[in-house]
Amino acid sequence: MDIHSDSYRIAALKERDDAIEIIRSAEASIAQLTGSPVTLIAYEKNEGRER
């Protein structure tokens, strides 16, 4: 999978167990609703990259 953006990067969630748990819970809820597994990706805005 190639995901590219000049304005955003994949968020580093090291030592953010609360955020990781929220994402995992959302993935499980969406998978239950749709019947298919999903992967959510957290992005954060790149500093100084306004468009």
Side-chain angles (χ1 to χ4, degrees):
M1 178 183 330
D2 182 25
I3 300 171
H4 178 78
S5 172
D6 292 333
S7 299
Y8 293 87
R9 65 177 179 236
I10 294 176
L13 297 176
K14 293 179 184 171
E15 299 179 26
R16 295 297 311 263
D17 293 338
D18 53 340
I20 293 168
E21 185 53 39
I22 290 168
I23 292 169
R24 285 185 179 146
S25 177
E27 288 174 336
S29 294
I30 293 168
Q32 186 176 25
L33 287 171
T34 65
S36 298
V38 297
T39 299
L40 299 178
I41 301 170
Y43 280 95
E44 61 188 5
K45 192 154 187 75
N46 283 333
E47 297 297 321
R49 293 286 229 168
E50 296 295 322
R51 283 194 169 191

